[in-house]
Amino acid sequence: MRISTKTRYGMRLMIDIAQNQGSGRVALKDAADRQGVSKKYLEQVVAPLVAAGLLDVARGASGGYRLARDAQAITLADIVGASEDGLALLTCTIDADACERAGDCASRRVWDGLQGAMRGYLEGQTLADIAQER
């Protein structure tokens, strides 16, 4: 299993915004500079985060990005789920009807367990928890 580069950068961006937004907004260029990522690439990274309701964007001279809700109310599962289009390892872990062998598959228990452990960890960590660990 691999986490995509967009998801990794999305996580870094969300942490950066949580650490730097204060009472205002974070310019994408500033976050890009701090994270060593091109602004153009971050523009692609923010789209699913905005669509998922995790980031709020304002255009213009005093525009930028800020968290759409408190960092304590955003889990790592929210971030990964937005960037990866869900948290499913395999289709059969979320839809038993997707595989004709799902009912008799001994290995499905392994994938269900791994899926549950991953989801549990990501849901148990908030953006605030991670942002405080400088």
Side-chain angles (χ1 to χ4, degrees), residues 1-107:
M1 177 177 91
R2 290 186 174 253
I3 298 293
S4 71
T5 301
K6 284 185 180 179
T7 297
R8 290 187 303 113
Y9 288 172
M11 183 73 69
R12 286 171 47 186
L13 176 65
M14 291 292 289
I15 294 167
D16 185 280
I17 291 172
Q19 291 173 333
N20 293 290
Q21 76 178 3
S23 61
R25 294 181 180 273
V26 173
L28 201 56
K29 181 182 180 344
D30 295 340
D33 290 345
R34 283 189 296 270
Q35 295 302 315
V37 179
S38 78
K39 179 181 178 266
K40 191 126 183 111
Y41 191 76
L42 281 187
E43 288 170 351
Q44 297 172 37
V45 169
V46 298
L49 299 170
V50 171
L54 300 176
L55 288 177
D56 176 54
V57 61
R59 308 276 183 221
S62 60
Y65 294 85
R66 69 176 177 203
L67 301 179
R69 55 187 193 256
D70 189 83
Q72 195 65 41
I74 298 173
T75 68
L76 301 187
D78 295 329
I79 299 167
V80 173
S83 298
E84 290 293 330
D85 196 27
L87 293 174
L89 292 175
L90 299 167
T91 305
C92 68
T93 62
I94 58 168
D95 180 11
D97 295 332
C99 177
E100 63 188 42
R101 299 189 51 132
D104 297 330
C105 181
S107 66

